[in-house]
């Protein structure tokens, strides 16, 4: 399995979180590539089985949270290149994530009613709960592949 981790970071916290995600997947035997969205060649998506993409949470303290404009524009360009069931999102935040998942799904042109996973971190560190969500996500992809 080949996973691609894409991120947009402002202070480095989101970049650190993406590294933790990539390293965890690598420790599970998954081939992982990690890129900042500004360094990514979109043609490489044809070789990926799983896309994990994220950015930091923008917006007011407790309302109007959304994905950063640069991440949304980039995601809009790659929308549809990876099936929605093979995409997982992540974000870092200071106060709350609010409607971040819906903002990210909209940028990737994924219908609101589609179930999608979101990892979120205030510290930029991968928690055991995050690892469990990643394991569940990868296991579901593996089950789909075997069918």
């Amino acid at each position: 399995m080949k996973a691609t981790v894409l991120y947009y970071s402002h202070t480095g916290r989101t970049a650190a979180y993406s590294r933790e995600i990539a390293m965890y997947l690598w420790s599970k035997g998954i081939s992982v590539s990690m890129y900042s969205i500004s360094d990514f060649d979109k043609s490489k998506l044809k070789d990926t089985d799983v896309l994990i993409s994220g950015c930091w949470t923008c917006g007011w303290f407790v309302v109007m949270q959304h994905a950063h404009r640069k991440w949304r524009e980039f995601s809009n360009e790659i929308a549809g290149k990876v099936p929605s069931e093979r995409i997982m999102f992540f974000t870092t935040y200071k106060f709350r994530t609010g409607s971040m998942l819906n903002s990210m799904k909209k940028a990737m042109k994924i219908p609101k009613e589609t179930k999608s996973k979101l990892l979120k971190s205030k510290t930029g560190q991968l928690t055991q709960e995050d690892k469990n969500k990643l394991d569940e996500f990868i296991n579901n992809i593996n089950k789909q592949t075997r069918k």
Side-chain angles (χ1 to χ4, degrees):
M1 178 179 291
K2 170 111 169 91
T4 301
V5 179
L6 299 175
Y7 69 91
Y8 178 70
S9 186
H10 181 68
T11 63
R13 185 181 309 150
T14 306
Y17 194 44
S18 67
R19 275 191 299 279
E20 292 224 2
I21 292 167
M23 290 303 294
Y24 181 73
L25 294 173
W26 178 78
S27 76
K28 295 290 188 173
I30 297 169
S31 174
V32 182
S33 297
M34 184 185 87
Y35 303 92
S36 166
I37 61 169
S38 60
D39 298 330
F40 186 65
D41 176 359
K42 295 172 190 98
S43 69
K44 292 182 179 186
L45 278 178
K46 67 180 181 327
D47 299 327
T48 196
D49 299 307
V50 174
L51 174 62
I52 302 174
S53 185
C55 65
W56 51 284
T57 301
C58 298
W60 298 343
F61 291 109
V62 292
V63 295
M64 307 277 293
Q65 287 84 7
H66 58 277
H68 190 276
R69 179 186 50 80
K70 286 184 181 181
W71 185 90
R72 288 191 324 259
E73 289 170 355
F74 173 85
S75 296
N76 199 268
E77 292 174 16
I78 64 168
K81 304 234 185 263
V82 176
S84 60
E85 64 274 4
R86 292 177 176 258
I87 299 172
M88 181 180 236
F89 299 106
F90 67 91
T91 189
T92 56
Y93 65 99
K94 286 186 180 180
F95 299 103
R96 293 187 48 186
T97 59
S99 56
M100 189 66 168
L101 180 59
N102 288 335
S103 173
M104 295 176 115
K105 286 168 57 173
K106 183 177 179 181
M108 291 287 278
K109 300 178 183 174
I110 297 173
K112 211 176 213 182
E113 61 276 359
T114 301
K115 294 196 183 231
S116 298
K117 298 282 187 190
L118 176 68
L119 299 175
K120 48 190 173 182
S121 176
K122 196 170 191 175
T123 64
Q125 305 215 349
L126 204 61
T127 65
Q128 186 58 51
E129 181 182 348
D130 295 336
K131 292 175 183 178
N132 293 344
K133 285 181 181 180
L134 282 165
D135 289 341
E136 180 183 343
F137 178 67
I138 295 302
N139 288 339
N140 285 339
I141 301 288
N142 282 331
K143 285 179 191 174
Q144 292 171 8
T145 305
R146 286 186 208 127
K147 288 182 180 181

